[in-house]
Amino acid sequence: MQTKILHDGADSFEVTVYEAKRVSPVVLFAVGSGGLPARHTSLLDSLAQSGFTVVAPHFERLTSPMPGEADLTLRARRLSLALDAFVQPGETVAGVGHSIGSATLIALAGAQMWLGPGRRVNITPDSRLTRLALLAPPTGFFQAPGALDAVTVPVLAWVGSEDSITPPAQTEWLAHTMRDWQAVDVRVTDGVGHFSFMDQPPPQTTEPLADKQAFLQEHSSEVCKFVIG
């Protein structure tokens, strides 16, 4: 594992990279609002140990529960910049994201992201993404008619029954909306909360799971299987 510095115009940002020793599938990890990929150590280590090159940009913590257009476009742009730096021409990429990172990946896969009527977020799709594993995805950004029509890659969407931030109904709506042209593998795990996917959740959060470590191992293993295809 290494931390690299990339440039975004006059600014710079860090990217955690697990480089496989051979040519391998690439996983782009899109972190949630906290911005630090290291909070998902179990998942990232499992992906790397399975032979994937993992590219995980860092971001500033989002201070508002509803990110603005500038926050979302910056995250999408830097995810693509990270792929520019670490993906060889012709290679395909699996996107894995948590929370707002999942929503950003959906937009990069071609969905239209909206903050409200007449407030479309202009995100340039990245055709290198060929499958998406979405953990606790917020789907309210994609409620406009036809917003998801261009997303045609395989999708795994995983949410917990105790998630009050992105409840299961949001993920089930995603699958229902896309069912006519794209199957979505929906997993709803009893007792899991929004932050149960993280090794290091935000302070002052309460973990609903009695055996979180077992769940971290389970979901990490299943995401690896999905990424392999």
Side-chain angles (χ1 to χ4, degrees):
M1 181 185 70
Q2 303 178 63
T3 299
K4 306 290 184 75
I5 305 295
L6 296 184
H7 294 285
D8 178 10
D11 298 321
S12 61
F13 62 102
E14 294 184 341
V15 182
T16 294
V17 181
Y18 296 74
E19 290 192 79
K21 295 180 180 179
R22 54 181 173 75
V23 176
S24 69
V26 176
V27 172
L28 175 66
F29 182 70
V31 74
S33 62
L36 297 177
R39 291 188 167 189
H40 293 265
T41 301
S42 292
L43 175 57
L44 299 187
D45 283 349
S46 293
L47 289 164
Q49 290 164 11
S50 296
F52 302 110
T53 292
V54 182
V55 179
H58 300 207
F59 297 98
E60 296 292 328
R61 183 175 69 87
L62 294 175
T63 56
S64 170
M66 175 53 73
E69 181 175 7
D71 296 316
L72 295 167
T73 54
L74 180 144
R75 286 185 171 226
R77 183 176 68 252
R78 290 186 176 179
L79 288 168
S80 285
L81 285 172
L83 293 186
D84 293 343
F86 300 109
V87 174
Q88 299 300 314
E91 285 186 317
T92 57
V93 179
V96 179
H98 179 247
S99 195
I100 194 63
S102 290
T104 310
L105 289 174
I106 296 170
L108 282 172
Q112 298 175 12
M113 180 178 265
W114 296 82
L115 293 176
R119 298 178 61 201
R120 181 176 173 182
V121 181
N122 291 313
I123 288 176
T124 302
D126 196 314
S127 61
R128 291 170 290 193
L129 289 169
T130 58
R131 54 184 47 231
L132 301 179
L134 311 173
L135 311 176
T139 60
F141 299 103
F142 309 106
Q143 300 287 327
L148 292 164
D149 287 1
V151 181
T152 58
V153 300
V155 174
L156 167 66
W158 201 326
V159 68
S161 67
E162 304 308 304
D163 191 336
S164 60
I165 297 175
T166 56
Q170 292 198 27
T171 295
E172 291 162 354
W173 172 86
L174 180 77
H176 177 79
T177 302
M178 297 177 67
R179 66 180 180 180
D180 289 339
W181 72 93
Q182 176 60 46
V184 179
D185 181 358
V186 174
R187 313 281 180 94
V188 181
T189 303
D190 287 340
V192 167
H194 189 77
F195 302 109
S196 299
F197 295 93
M198 304 173 66
D199 294 84
Q200 300 175 38
Q204 287 80 53
T205 57
T206 301
E207 176 53 57
L209 275 178
D211 190 349
K212 178 176 174 176
Q213 195 57 44
F215 173 69
L216 287 172
Q217 293 175 357
E218 175 195 357
H219 102 266
S220 297
S221 174
E222 289 299 306
V223 169
C224 289
K225 293 177 184 176
F226 172 78
V227 169
I228 291 170

